[in-house]
């Protein structure tokens, strides 16, 4: 069975601090996808990134970066120079990669989420 | 392009009543998913439609929940009769059947259901 663990329930930082959100996953699949979603106060889930299990390259997008390490089954997310607008709940998720449609068309297993509060 | 639309955004009902949630996916998206987040817990998969067919309903908690997607467009999720433990946020998501993009699903804003 698949499982995603986000050990940090809540994190509070001061603006401009760097913050890392941890994500550890379990799966028996050799091919899978990992995701991060952001849920701002408005409620919708906003896609941030998708990574497949064969691509361990770290990724940077502006102030966001992701560190994927298969050896430790982790997919951590770092926000550099945090801003108040980064305050949200962040979810890590895992999907199988079965079916002809590919991994993005399969059900997601989510972690419990990490509530990030960035204070001015 | 319009996003995934869910309504109502909030619903408060009494235990034993019936509630119907609706999801309008992005036009042309054949995949439609329902998820639920109970307070403080993870978001959990409920079911997956491909067009009007239920592809996977392994996450449906019990037979008080009925999901339909007649005509393969919008979907409804009915809870009858509602129980206190059904309270939570119900998310809908849609995607193209054979998407080649890297954006995964598009989620709606969710319906917050409170059963009192």
């Amino acid at each position: 069975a698949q499982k995603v663990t986000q050990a940090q329930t809540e994190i509070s930082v001061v603006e401009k601090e760097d913050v890392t959100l941890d994500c550890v996953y379990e799966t028996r699949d050799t091919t899978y996808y990992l995701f991060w979603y952001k849920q701002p106060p408005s409620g919708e889930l906003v896609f941030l990134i998708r990574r497949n299990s064969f691509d361990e390259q770290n990724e940077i997008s502006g102030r966001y970066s992701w560190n994927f390490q298969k050896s430790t089954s982790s997919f951590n997310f770092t926000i550099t120079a945090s801003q108040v607008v980064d305050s949200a709940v962040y979810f890590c998720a895992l999907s199988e990669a079965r079916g002809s449609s590919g991994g993005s068309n399969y059900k997601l297993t989510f972690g419990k989420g990490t509530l990030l509060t960035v204070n001015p | 392009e319009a996003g995934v639309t869910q309504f109502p955004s909030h619903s408060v009902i009494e235990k034993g009543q019936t509630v119907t949630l609706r999801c309008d996916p992005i036009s042309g998206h054949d995949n439609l998913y329902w998820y639920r987040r109970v307070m403080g817990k993870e978001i959990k998969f409920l079911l997956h439609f491909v067009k009007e067919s239920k592809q996977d309903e392994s996450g449906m908690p019990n037979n008080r929940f009925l999901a339909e997607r007649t005509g393969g467009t919008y979907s409804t999720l009915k809870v009858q009769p509602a129980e206190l433990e059904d309270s939570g946020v119900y998310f809908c998501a849609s995607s193209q059947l054979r998407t080649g993009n890297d954006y995964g699903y598009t989620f709606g804003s969710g319906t917050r259901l409170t059963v009192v």
Side-chain angles (χ1 to χ4, degrees):
Chain A
Q2 299 190 320
K3 184 178 179 182
V4 175
T5 301
Q6 293 180 255
Q8 304 146 310
T9 306
E10 294 186 37
I11 300 176
S12 182
V13 299
V14 177
E15 209 168 16
K16 296 184 184 176
E17 283 185 26
D18 298 347
V19 57
T20 295
L21 310 182
D22 297 333
C23 174
V24 174
Y25 63 91
E26 296 175 29
T27 180
R28 293 181 181 176
D29 294 331
T30 55
T31 303
Y32 51 88
Y33 291 85
L34 294 162
F35 300 78
W36 275 94
Y37 283 87
K38 174 182 179 180
Q39 186 185 28
S42 51
E44 74 276 20
L45 286 167
V46 178
F47 169 87
L48 295 178
I49 189 171
R50 182 183 88 162
R51 235 14 190 180
N52 76 54
S53 51
F54 296 111
D55 183 0
E56 285 194 73
Q57 268 193 324
N58 291 332
E59 177 145 346
I60 298 174
S61 176
R63 296 184 296 105
Y64 295 170
S65 62
W66 291 270
N67 184 351
F68 176 28
Q69 299 216 348
K70 284 181 80 170
S71 60
T72 56
S73 297
S74 65
F75 187 43
N76 296 337
F77 173 31
T78 297
I79 301 174
T80 303
S82 60
Q83 300 176 1
V84 173
V85 294
D86 296 327
S87 297
V89 181
Y90 291 86
F91 292 95
C92 181
L94 168 70
S95 82
E96 302 166 334
R98 298 175 192 166
S100 57
S101 309
S104 63
N105 286 323
Y106 214 82
K107 63 185 177 185
L108 298 175
T109 298
F110 283 87
K112 292 185 179 181
T114 297
L115 172 61
L116 173 65
T117 303
V118 182
N119 298 297
Chain B
E1 140 182 288
V4 176
T5 306
Q6 292 186 246
F7 47 92
S9 56
H10 292 84
S11 180
V12 181
I13 62 171
E14 292 184 353
K15 176 182 172 181
Q17 289 186 323
T18 297
V19 63
T20 300
L21 314 181
R22 173 167 168 151
C23 169
D24 286 57
I26 292 173
S27 178
H29 280 193
D30 290 325
N31 285 298
L32 188 149
Y33 301 81
W34 284 98
Y35 286 82
R36 174 175 77 167
R37 187 184 189 206
V38 172
M39 179 73 76
K41 299 201 171 181
E42 63 271 23
I43 300 169
K44 283 199 170 176
F45 168 83
L46 295 178
L47 87 158
H48 170 205
F49 283 99
V50 176
K51 298 184 180 178
E52 67 275 8
S53 300
K54 291 177 186 173
Q55 184 81 4
D56 181 352
E57 51 184 330
S58 61
M60 295 288 265
N62 52 60
N63 59 11
R64 296 185 293 102
F65 289 75
L66 175 63
E68 294 181 323
R69 193 182 181 195
T70 307
T73 54
Y74 71 90
S75 175
T76 57
L77 179 64
K78 181 191 285 188
V79 185
Q80 178 183 30
E83 298 290 342
L84 298 178
E85 65 263 25
D86 301 332
S87 296
V89 181
Y90 289 76
F91 290 101
C92 176
S94 72
S95 71
Q96 293 175 333
L97 189 59
R98 291 182 183 274
T99 183
N101 65 51
D102 283 325
Y103 300 105
Y105 308 162
T106 300
F107 278 89
S109 297
T111 294
R112 182 174 296 278
L113 174 65
T114 303
V115 183
V116 297

